[in-house]
Amino acid sequence: WPFDDQRVREAFGKLYDRAKFNEKLFFNAYKPQKSFFTGTPYENTNNVAVEFDLDGAIKLLEEAGYTEKNSQGYRMKGGKVLEVDLPFTQSSQERYLTIYQEDLKKAGVKLNLKQVDGTTNFKIGNERNFTIIMFAWGGQNPPSLEFNVTSKTADDANSTNWSGYKSTRVDELAAAYNVTYDRKERYKQVKEIDS
């Protein structure tokens, strides 16, 4: 909870305003990514970027049943406030995470920012002891799929599949990738996974 509902996951994505961060805080120095394999032959360039959309996020949250609000304006469902803790490691992250926190609040979501050291964050991730967490995973060339996206690693504390991602189709593609020698076929397999 609450990310067992895809609509909630999508709403949180729509409230993370990458374009605003890039313009206001990073002087447009970055190019937003829409792939786990950006800049490699494995990148699926047809992936659709997630754009900021406050109204769309609110609609998704309401469809997910978060229609009540408490006296502070935070959304509730069954008397439970839509509230999550977000650990982060670097003080410099707070400037954009505060903007994220404010945008979530506009949609009625309470986000508590919790600064921790890198070792603690890694431990939280490995133990899957989080509701939401920040981490970077991308640019692998060639990709290492076994520890990142296969179902058998979703609950394994020694894998980097922190999101707990499970998909029968991705498992099939990862298994085929491991025994495929044709480079173009391997690109095709990973591009499907990337989508």
Side-chain angles (χ1 to χ4, degrees):
W1 178 90
F3 298 112
D4 53 343
D5 189 316
Q6 182 174 334
R7 295 166 295 193
V8 174
R9 296 194 303 270
E10 288 180 16
F12 270 70
K14 288 178 181 292
L15 293 167
Y16 196 75
D17 197 344
R18 295 158 187 82
K20 186 193 300 180
F21 304 153
N22 198 23
E23 178 188 346
K24 303 290 185 192
L25 302 175
F26 305 120
F27 311 101
N28 289 315
Y30 295 98
K31 181 180 176 188
Q33 297 180 1
K34 57 181 184 175
S35 168
F36 286 120
F37 308 100
T38 300
T40 75
Y42 301 95
E43 175 181 7
N44 187 334
T45 57
N46 295 320
N47 288 347
V48 178
V50 178
E51 303 288 339
F52 180 79
D53 181 2
L54 177 61
D55 293 336
I58 290 171
K59 181 180 178 196
L60 286 166
L61 293 172
E62 289 177 349
E63 287 174 4
Y66 294 95
T67 54
E68 310 168 51
K69 286 190 178 179
N70 68 10
S71 60
Q72 296 175 305
Y74 292 115
R75 294 187 177 276
M76 299 171 59
K77 180 178 176 182
K80 188 173 183 179
V81 175
L82 183 52
E83 176 178 8
V84 296
D85 293 341
L86 174 58
F88 66 99
T89 58
Q90 299 170 359
S91 298
S92 61
Q93 294 172 313
E94 195 165 4
R95 58 187 176 153
Y96 61 87
L97 291 178
T98 301
I99 294 170
Y100 186 43
Q101 183 181 47
E102 291 167 358
D103 286 337
L104 281 163
K105 187 174 184 177
K106 290 174 190 173
V109 178
K110 186 172 185 181
L111 179 69
N112 304 310
L113 300 175
K114 308 276 186 179
Q115 187 170 3
V116 298
D117 61 59
T119 302
T120 300
N121 199 58
F122 191 74
K123 185 175 187 275
I124 289 169
N126 271 353
E127 293 174 352
R128 312 301 195 273
N129 188 20
F130 60 87
T131 305
I132 184 172
I133 195 167
M134 293 183 53
F135 66 94
W137 184 80
Q140 296 180 347
N141 186 11
S144 173
L145 304 172
E146 284 299 310
F147 294 102
N148 296 322
V149 296
T150 56
S151 298
K152 68 183 179 185
T153 62
D155 301 310
D156 180 2
N158 296 312
S159 80
T160 51
N161 186 354
W162 285 6
S163 62
Y165 186 80
K166 297 177 184 179
S167 164
T168 304
R169 178 61 182 150
V170 168
D171 291 344
E172 292 168 359
L173 289 164
Y177 170 85
N178 287 338
V179 295
T180 300
Y181 291 96
D182 181 85
R183 184 176 291 168
K184 289 182 181 178
E185 187 60 28
R186 287 168 63 93
Y187 293 161
K188 183 179 170 185
Q189 291 159 345
V190 177
K191 285 179 182 185
E192 185 177 341
I193 290 171
D194 195 31
S195 71

